[in-house]
Amino acid sequence: MLEALHFTAAAQRKGSYALPAEFDGVVNESPLHQAVRTYRNNQRHGTHATKTRGFVSGGNQKPWRQKGTGRARQGSTRAPHWPGGGTAFGPLPRSYRTGINRKVRHLARRSAFNARAQGGQIYVIEQLDFDGPKTSRMAELLEKLELTGKNVLVLTAGARREVYLSARNLPGVEVLPYGDASAYHVLWADAVLVEEGAVGGHVIAGSAPKAGAMCTMPVPSPRETKLPAMTA
């Protein structure tokens, strides 16, 4: 059973939180690679284009006659080897759409969460209490959790428009409903802040910190971390 640090809505440490059975500690790297590759391929627009000899203007007649000039025979000034000619085998608009099996996608998502849980990078908070959009409150919350300057993935219990608007202008902060987070989003984040009502699990009894104890997240060494943090 994997554990995560538990915080109140005011970012005060409460103790430890037992993550649900989905966090079984197994990290499958092959599905992770496939899921990340699929996600990034599907982000490509495929609008690259070059002009082949059929799209370049000019070159309707031979530059000189076939024989008798002493020069090599040429049929058009828009051939690829001519200056101003078309491009040979250049990229053309295409679709990079890549599919992935549903079971493989779910396994990759579970592996990503397990990797972040093993690295002590999951923060469970009681509830993100926002009456309306307020960027300063979100920035203050992340500062109390010592997450300022990091890539933070905030996972909410359902769609929370006020939370999304509060973090929209903060660099490196992404807000998604818990069910919409993919393996790529989880691996992109240096820390995952998730609402208690979204992740499930339960509070570990008797795990509250003592008065005056430091409430910092343990930072794993590079050898202990199985998967490095991804960059967008």
Side-chain angles (χ1 to χ4, degrees), residues 134-136 138-139 163-173 175:
K134 198 67 176 177
T135 304
S136 60
M138 177 63 74
V163 178
Y164 169 77
L165 295 178
S166 298
R168 182 174 56 177
N169 289 334
L170 295 177
V173 180
V175 178

Side-chain angles (χ1 to χ4, degrees), residues 2-7 13 16-17 19 23 27 112-124 145-147 150-151 186 189-194 215-221 224-227:
L2 295 177
E3 299 178 4
L5 293 186
H6 193 208
F7 295 87
R13 173 73 185 278
S16 298
Y17 193 87
L19 297 173
F23 295 82
V27 178
F113 275 115
N114 285 330
R116 289 296 173 256
Q118 289 178 355
Q121 297 164 284
I122 293 185
Y123 296 66
V124 178
L145 295 174
E146 299 181 1
L147 298 179
K150 298 181 180 180
N151 291 337
V186 178
D190 298 322
V192 180
L193 178 62
V194 56
C215 301
T216 58
M217 175 69 73
V219 179
S221 64
E224 295 174 350
T225 305
K226 292 187 177 181
L227 295 175

Side-chain angles (χ1 to χ4, degrees), residues 121-198:
Q121 297 164 284
I122 293 185
Y123 296 66
V124 178
I125 191 169
E126 284 184 337
Q127 185 180 6
L128 295 171
D129 188 14
F130 286 81
D131 297 331
K134 198 67 176 177
T135 304
S136 60
R137 285 193 58 191
M138 177 63 74
E140 181 182 357
L141 176 66
L142 297 179
E143 183 179 359
K144 290 181 179 179
L145 295 174
E146 299 181 1
L147 298 179
T148 304
K150 298 181 180 180
N151 291 337
V152 181
L153 177 63
V154 181
L155 300 180
T156 60
R160 297 284 304 278
R161 178 175 174 81
E162 67 280 2
V163 178
Y164 169 77
L165 295 178
S166 298
R168 182 174 56 177
N169 289 334
L170 295 177
V173 180
E174 187 77 18
V175 178
L176 288 173
Y178 180 77
D180 293 350
S182 66
Y184 178 86
H185 292 113
V186 178
L187 292 181
W188 165 85
D190 298 322
V192 180
L193 178 62
V194 56
E195 283 188 311
E196 182 179 324

Side-chain angles (χ1 to χ4, degrees), residues 15 50 56 66 70 74 80 87 89-90 94-95 97 103 108 112 114 119 122 124 150 152 154 179 192-194 197 205:
T50 54
V56 180
Q66 182 79 352
Q74 302 292 332
T87 301
F89 309 113
R94 53 162 290 197
S95 173
R97 185 70 184 177
K103 291 184 178 181
N114 285 330
I122 293 185
V124 178
K150 298 181 180 180
V152 181
V154 181
V192 180
L193 178 62
V194 56

Side-chain angles (χ1 to χ4, degrees), residues 20-43:
E22 178 184 358
F23 295 82
D24 53 7
V26 179
V27 178
N28 297 275
E29 296 188 7
S30 180
L32 278 175
H33 174 269
Q34 188 175 349
V36 171
R37 178 176 174 270
T38 299
Y39 181 88
R40 301 195 68 177
N41 280 351
N42 293 338
Q43 300 303 303

